[in-house]
Amino acid sequence: LSMRRRLGDSEDNILVVQGNLATTYQLLGRLEDSLRLRQKVYSGNLKFSGEENEETLVSALNYAVSLVNLERYQESRKVLCKMTPVARRFLGDCNDLTLRMQIMYATTLSLDEGATLDDLREAVTTLEELERTARRVFGSAYPTTKAIEHALEMSREALRAHEGDVN
């Protein structure tokens, strides 16, 4: 990375290298380091390419995932609440990236220990709608469809557990 900077490489290439380093840090369990780089990549893409850009949207999702990895669910939701409407407008409701952003949002609701019953119901409802869309557009064997099924199972379990606690 420092060599690329010294050689005057483009900002786009530097952001790609930083994204790759973030992935490596994540795989090594260095989640804070990964998060720091994911935030830089997201901010850089926003600055240089704007919101309505696929690389910006991918970096937003990667940043949100890094926040989830550190159990910072509210911060992740904040990023997703800002960027998912952009993805829906720019890429469409049936786009794989748009669906993955919505899955991650619902997942943050399900994983958050402070989630309310309404939060968990929203997660289940969202994932049920996404599952129908993904099956129609991509089919039942598509990886994103499988991810939705898994997230839906997890969200339903969280909802049942929470309902049991309330009763």
Side-chain angles (χ1 to χ4, degrees), residues 13-140:
N13 285 345
I14 289 171
L15 291 172
V16 168
V17 170
Q18 287 178 318
N20 290 339
L21 280 171
T23 298
T24 302
Y25 282 146
Q26 183 177 332
L27 292 171
L28 292 171
R30 294 175 58 181
L31 301 180
E32 289 287 346
D33 292 326
S34 177
L35 175 64
R36 183 178 45 79
L37 283 173
R38 293 284 187 212
Q39 195 279 329
K40 281 185 180 182
V41 171
Y42 171 55
S43 294
N45 280 318
L46 270 175
K47 180 179 177 183
F48 294 108
S49 301
E51 286 184 339
E52 290 188 355
N53 175 278
E54 192 162 354
E55 288 301 315
T56 301
L57 294 168
V58 168
S59 65
L61 178 58
N62 288 339
Y63 179 40
V65 168
S66 288
L67 288 163
V68 167
N69 289 340
L70 290 165
E71 299 180 6
R72 292 165 62 175
Y73 304 116
Q74 290 179 353
E75 292 172 70
S76 181
R77 279 196 297 275
K78 186 176 177 183
V79 172
L80 293 165
C81 281
K82 176 183 177 185
M83 296 307 290
T84 301
V86 176
R88 293 177 80 177
R89 182 177 63 248
F90 181 66
L91 301 172
D93 286 329
C94 297
N95 179 275
D96 185 65
L97 178 57
T98 304
L99 292 173
R100 287 186 291 132
M101 292 176 90
Q102 292 173 294
I103 296 165
M104 185 53 54
Y105 178 81
T107 300
T108 65
L109 292 172
S110 298
L111 292 174
D112 194 340
E113 301 256 335
T116 65
L117 202 51
D118 286 341
D119 291 337
L120 295 172
R121 286 182 181 134
E122 178 185 353
V124 168
T125 301
T126 298
L127 290 165
E128 287 172 343
E129 291 169 8
L130 293 176
E131 182 182 34
R132 284 190 293 277
T133 300
R135 281 187 191 285
R136 179 178 46 80
V137 174
F138 299 114
S140 61

